[in-house]
Amino acid sequence: CYENGWGVDSSDEEAVRLYSDAAELGHDGAMYNLAAFTEYGLGGLDRDEMKAMELYRLSAERGNDNAKLRVQEFEAREAVHQWQDKNVVPVLRSSPPLGKSPHASSPTLTDYL
């Protein structure tokens, strides 16, 4: 109610307090909402993706489908970052200088200018 102002004045800070209380009691929906507030730094919370991920995982473990999707998104993003670190950066470091072709017969950027 406080997050959206349904029947009360909207207050993200009060929503955080109530979500925190409910999350401590094991409510998966409150954990999910608290994770979202933490992820985006809402309601006076510091923005903290790692803490948000922990809350999403706890919510997912309790069966929250939205939290399961967020966990999958975080894991996919992390996998992409790891792949990029292993594959893209080394390729860029080993690439020939701009305008120089690794193959003598291949056109270079300067051939098109």
Side-chain angles (χ1 to χ4, degrees), residues 53 57 70-88:
M53 183 62 177
R57 282 188 194 281
R70 290 300 292 145
V71 168
Q72 289 174 348
E73 290 170 4
F74 271 93
E75 289 172 349
R77 186 172 31 171
E78 182 60 27
V80 168
H81 287 288
Q82 288 177 3
W83 180 87
Q84 287 175 330
D85 289 345
K86 290 179 185 173
N87 297 300
V88 176

mmCIF file of all heavy atoms in Angstrom, residues 53 57 70-88:
data_model
loop_
_atom_site.group_PDB
_atom_site.id
_atom_site.type_symbol
_atom_site.label_atom_id
_atom_site.label_comp_id
_atom_site.label_asym_id
_atom_site.label_seq_id
_atom_site.Cartn_x
_atom_site.Cartn_y
_atom_site.Cartn_z
ATOM 1 N N MET A 53 20.715 -9.371 -4.869
ATOM 2 C CA MET A 53 20.784 -10.728 -5.393
ATOM 3 C C MET A 53 20.558 -11.747 -4.287
ATOM 4 O O MET A 53 19.864 -12.755 -4.495
ATOM 5 C CB MET A 53 22.150 -10.950 -6.060
ATOM 6 C CG MET A 53 22.302 -12.275 -6.698
ATOM 7 S SD MET A 53 21.090 -12.454 -8.013
ATOM 8 C CE MET A 53 21.549 -14.029 -8.619
ATOM 9 N N ARG A 57 17.524 -14.396 -4.271
ATOM 10 C CA ARG A 57 17.758 -15.840 -4.100
ATOM 11 C C ARG A 57 16.916 -16.413 -2.966
ATOM 12 O O ARG A 57 16.317 -17.484 -3.107
ATOM 13 C CB ARG A 57 19.234 -16.118 -3.836
ATOM 14 C CG ARG A 57 20.105 -16.075 -5.061
ATOM 15 C CD ARG A 57 21.511 -16.564 -4.727
ATOM 16 N NE ARG A 57 22.440 -16.247 -5.770
ATOM 17 C CZ ARG A 57 22.566 -16.922 -6.906
ATOM 18 N NH1 ARG A 57 21.789 -17.943 -7.137
ATOM 19 N NH2 ARG A 57 23.451 -16.561 -7.805
ATOM 20 N N ARG A 70 14.544 -13.066 -11.854
ATOM 21 C CA ARG A 70 15.596 -12.082 -11.589
ATOM 22 C C ARG A 70 16.934 -12.782 -11.331
ATOM 23 O O ARG A 70 17.972 -12.319 -11.802
ATOM 24 C CB ARG A 70 15.230 -11.196 -10.392
ATOM 25 C CG ARG A 70 14.107 -10.233 -10.654
ATOM 26 C CD ARG A 70 14.379 -9.255 -11.786
ATOM 27 N NE ARG A 70 15.431 -8.323 -11.401
ATOM 28 C CZ ARG A 70 16.335 -7.825 -12.252
ATOM 29 N NH1 ARG A 70 16.320 -8.161 -13.524
ATOM 30 N NH2 ARG A 70 17.252 -7.001 -11.835
ATOM 31 N N VAL A 71 16.901 -13.887 -10.612
ATOM 32 C CA VAL A 71 18.132 -14.648 -10.357
ATOM 33 C C VAL A 71 18.704 -15.136 -11.688
ATOM 34 O O VAL A 71 19.912 -15.029 -11.934
ATOM 35 C CB VAL A 71 17.878 -15.824 -9.385
ATOM 36 C CG1 VAL A 71 19.073 -16.774 -9.344
ATOM 37 C CG2 VAL A 71 17.555 -15.300 -7.991
ATOM 38 N N GLN A 72 17.854 -15.655 -12.553
ATOM 39 C CA GLN A 72 18.315 -16.112 -13.868
ATOM 40 C C GLN A 72 18.905 -14.960 -14.673
ATOM 41 O O GLN A 72 19.925 -15.124 -15.345
ATOM 42 C CB GLN A 72 17.174 -16.764 -14.640
ATOM 43 C CG GLN A 72 16.755 -18.094 -14.083
ATOM 44 C CD GLN A 72 15.526 -18.655 -14.792
ATOM 45 O OE1 GLN A 72 14.852 -17.974 -15.558
ATOM 46 N NE2 GLN A 72 15.218 -19.915 -14.503
ATOM 47 N N GLU A 73 18.280 -13.786 -14.606
ATOM 48 C CA GLU A 73 18.801 -12.614 -15.324
ATOM 49 C C GLU A 73 20.179 -12.221 -14.800
ATOM 50 O O GLU A 73 21.094 -11.945 -15.579
ATOM 51 C CB GLU A 73 17.834 -11.439 -15.198
ATOM 52 C CG GLU A 73 16.553 -11.618 -15.963
ATOM 53 C CD GLU A 73 15.519 -10.553 -15.642
ATOM 54 O OE1 GLU A 73 15.816 -9.603 -14.867
ATOM 55 O OE2 GLU A 73 14.396 -10.658 -16.157
ATOM 56 N N PHE A 74 20.335 -12.183 -13.471
ATOM 57 C CA PHE A 74 21.631 -11.853 -12.876
ATOM 58 C C PHE A 74 22.680 -12.870 -13.301
ATOM 59 O O PHE A 74 23.799 -12.503 -13.659
ATOM 60 C CB PHE A 74 21.536 -11.838 -11.349
ATOM 61 C CG PHE A 74 21.160 -10.512 -10.758
ATOM 62 C CD1 PHE A 74 19.836 -10.211 -10.495
ATOM 63 C CD2 PHE A 74 22.126 -9.572 -10.444
ATOM 64 C CE1 PHE A 74 19.477 -8.999 -9.932
ATOM 65 C CE2 PHE A 74 21.783 -8.357 -9.884
ATOM 66 C CZ PHE A 74 20.453 -8.064 -9.619
ATOM 67 N N GLU A 75 22.340 -14.149 -13.245
ATOM 68 C CA GLU A 75 23.294 -15.197 -13.603
ATOM 69 C C GLU A 75 23.674 -15.124 -15.077
ATOM 70 O O GLU A 75 24.838 -15.313 -15.431
ATOM 71 C CB GLU A 75 22.737 -16.566 -13.237
ATOM 72 C CG GLU A 75 22.685 -16.796 -11.740
ATOM 73 C CD GLU A 75 21.968 -18.070 -11.331
ATOM 74 O OE1 GLU A 75 21.298 -18.708 -12.190
ATOM 75 O OE2 GLU A 75 22.070 -18.440 -10.142
ATOM 76 N N ALA A 76 22.715 -14.835 -15.926
ATOM 77 C CA ALA A 76 22.999 -14.707 -17.361
ATOM 78 C C ALA A 76 23.915 -13.508 -17.614
ATOM 79 O O ALA A 76 24.876 -13.603 -18.386
ATOM 80 C CB ALA A 76 21.705 -14.570 -18.152
ATOM 81 N N ARG A 77 23.630 -12.400 -16.955
ATOM 82 C CA ARG A 77 24.463 -11.205 -17.128
ATOM 83 C C ARG A 77 25.890 -11.481 -16.646
ATOM 84 O O ARG A 77 26.855 -11.090 -17.301
ATOM 85 C CB ARG A 77 23.845 -10.040 -16.360
ATOM 86 C CG ARG A 77 24.546 -8.730 -16.596
ATOM 87 C CD ARG A 77 23.844 -7.554 -16.006
ATOM 88 N NE ARG A 77 23.112 -7.898 -14.812
ATOM 89 C CZ ARG A 77 22.556 -7.006 -14.018
ATOM 90 N NH1 ARG A 77 22.629 -5.739 -14.295
ATOM 91 N NH2 ARG A 77 21.895 -7.387 -12.934
ATOM 92 N N GLU A 78 26.019 -12.184 -15.525
ATOM 93 C CA GLU A 78 27.338 -12.521 -15.004
ATOM 94 C C GLU A 78 28.077 -13.454 -15.964
ATOM 95 O O GLU A 78 29.277 -13.293 -16.195
ATOM 96 C CB GLU A 78 27.229 -13.159 -13.616
ATOM 97 C CG GLU A 78 28.560 -13.497 -12.998
ATOM 98 C CD GLU A 78 29.469 -12.302 -12.794
ATOM 99 O OE1 GLU A 78 28.972 -11.170 -12.634
ATOM 100 O OE2 GLU A 78 30.702 -12.499 -12.821
ATOM 101 N N ALA A 79 27.366 -14.414 -16.539
ATOM 102 C CA ALA A 79 27.992 -15.327 -17.501
ATOM 103 C C ALA A 79 28.489 -14.568 -18.729
ATOM 104 O O ALA A 79 29.579 -14.845 -19.238
ATOM 105 C CB ALA A 79 27.000 -16.417 -17.912
ATOM 106 N N VAL A 80 27.723 -13.608 -19.195
ATOM 107 C CA VAL A 80 28.140 -12.797 -20.343
ATOM 108 C C VAL A 80 29.385 -11.995 -19.989
ATOM 109 O O VAL A 80 30.343 -11.935 -20.770
ATOM 110 C CB VAL A 80 26.991 -11.868 -20.811
ATOM 111 C CG1 VAL A 80 27.501 -10.817 -21.791
ATOM 112 C CG2 VAL A 80 25.879 -12.685 -21.439
ATOM 113 N N HIS A 81 29.394 -11.385 -18.807
ATOM 114 C CA HIS A 81 30.571 -10.616 -18.387
ATOM 115 C C HIS A 81 31.807 -11.501 -18.299
ATOM 116 O O HIS A 81 32.889 -11.101 -18.740
ATOM 117 C CB HIS A 81 30.324 -9.925 -17.043
ATOM 118 C CG HIS A 81 29.397 -8.766 -17.128
ATOM 119 N ND1 HIS A 81 29.730 -7.566 -17.701
ATOM 120 C CD2 HIS A 81 28.116 -8.635 -16.718
ATOM 121 C CE1 HIS A 81 28.714 -6.740 -17.634
ATOM 122 N NE2 HIS A 81 27.708 -7.368 -17.052
ATOM 123 N N GLN A 82 31.656 -12.689 -17.755
ATOM 124 C CA GLN A 82 32.793 -13.610 -17.658
ATOM 125 C C GLN A 82 33.266 -14.024 -19.045
ATOM 126 O O GLN A 82 34.468 -14.092 -19.296
ATOM 127 C CB GLN A 82 32.425 -14.830 -16.820
ATOM 128 C CG GLN A 82 32.291 -14.521 -15.362
ATOM 129 C CD GLN A 82 31.856 -15.728 -14.545
ATOM 130 O OE1 GLN A 82 31.707 -16.830 -15.063
ATOM 131 N NE2 GLN A 82 31.639 -15.520 -13.265
ATOM 132 N N TRP A 83 32.329 -14.302 -19.937
ATOM 133 C CA TRP A 83 32.699 -14.677 -21.303
ATOM 134 C C TRP A 83 33.432 -13.534 -21.980
ATOM 135 O O TRP A 83 34.447 -13.743 -22.635
ATOM 136 C CB TRP A 83 31.453 -15.066 -22.096
ATOM 137 C CG TRP A 83 31.783 -15.452 -23.499
ATOM 138 C CD1 TRP A 83 32.138 -16.680 -23.946
ATOM 139 C CD2 TRP A 83 31.794 -14.592 -24.642
ATOM 140 N NE1 TRP A 83 32.376 -16.650 -25.302
ATOM 141 C CE2 TRP A 83 32.172 -15.381 -25.755
ATOM 142 C CE3 TRP A 83 31.525 -13.250 -24.847
ATOM 143 C CZ2 TRP A 83 32.293 -14.853 -27.032
ATOM 144 C CZ3 TRP A 83 31.643 -12.728 -26.117
ATOM 145 C CH2 TRP A 83 32.028 -13.529 -27.193
ATOM 146 N N GLN A 84 32.909 -12.312 -21.808
ATOM 147 C CA GLN A 84 33.564 -11.153 -22.421
ATOM 148 C C GLN A 84 34.980 -10.972 -21.882
ATOM 149 O O GLN A 84 35.896 -10.685 -22.645
ATOM 150 C CB GLN A 84 32.750 -9.882 -22.167
ATOM 151 C CG GLN A 84 31.495 -9.819 -22.983
ATOM 152 C CD GLN A 84 30.633 -8.617 -22.638
ATOM 153 O OE1 GLN A 84 30.640 -8.145 -21.503
ATOM 154 N NE2 GLN A 84 29.894 -8.137 -23.610
ATOM 155 N N ASP A 85 35.131 -11.125 -20.572
ATOM 156 C CA ASP A 85 36.458 -10.970 -19.982
ATOM 157 C C ASP A 85 37.444 -11.981 -20.550
ATOM 158 O O ASP A 85 38.606 -11.665 -20.762
ATOM 159 C CB ASP A 85 36.401 -11.123 -18.460
ATOM 160 C CG ASP A 85 35.723 -9.941 -17.783
ATOM 161 O OD1 ASP A 85 35.553 -8.883 -18.432
ATOM 162 O OD2 ASP A 85 35.349 -10.081 -16.601
ATOM 163 N N LYS A 86 36.977 -13.206 -20.813
ATOM 164 C CA LYS A 86 37.854 -14.257 -21.323
ATOM 165 C C LYS A 86 38.081 -14.161 -22.827
ATOM 166 O O LYS A 86 39.143 -14.502 -23.317
ATOM 167 C CB LYS A 86 37.268 -15.639 -21.011
ATOM 168 C CG LYS A 86 37.308 -15.993 -19.561
ATOM 169 C CD LYS A 86 36.692 -17.361 -19.339
ATOM 170 C CE LYS A 86 36.612 -17.691 -17.866
ATOM 171 N NZ LYS A 86 35.867 -18.930 -17.636
ATOM 172 N N ASN A 87 37.076 -13.721 -23.570
ATOM 173 C CA ASN A 87 37.141 -13.815 -25.028
ATOM 174 C C ASN A 87 37.263 -12.489 -25.751
ATOM 175 O O ASN A 87 38.022 -12.382 -26.704
ATOM 176 C CB ASN A 87 35.902 -14.549 -25.543
ATOM 177 C CG ASN A 87 35.837 -15.962 -25.049
ATOM 178 O OD1 ASN A 87 36.735 -16.739 -25.331
ATOM 179 N ND2 ASN A 87 34.836 -16.295 -24.274
ATOM 180 N N VAL A 88 36.544 -11.498 -25.342
ATOM 181 C CA VAL A 88 36.535 -10.252 -26.095
ATOM 182 C C VAL A 88 37.765 -9.421 -25.808
ATOM 183 O O VAL A 88 38.442 -8.973 -26.727
ATOM 184 C CB VAL A 88 35.253 -9.443 -25.782
ATOM 185 C CG1 VAL A 88 35.281 -8.100 -26.477
ATOM 186 C CG2 VAL A 88 34.032 -10.245 -26.210
#
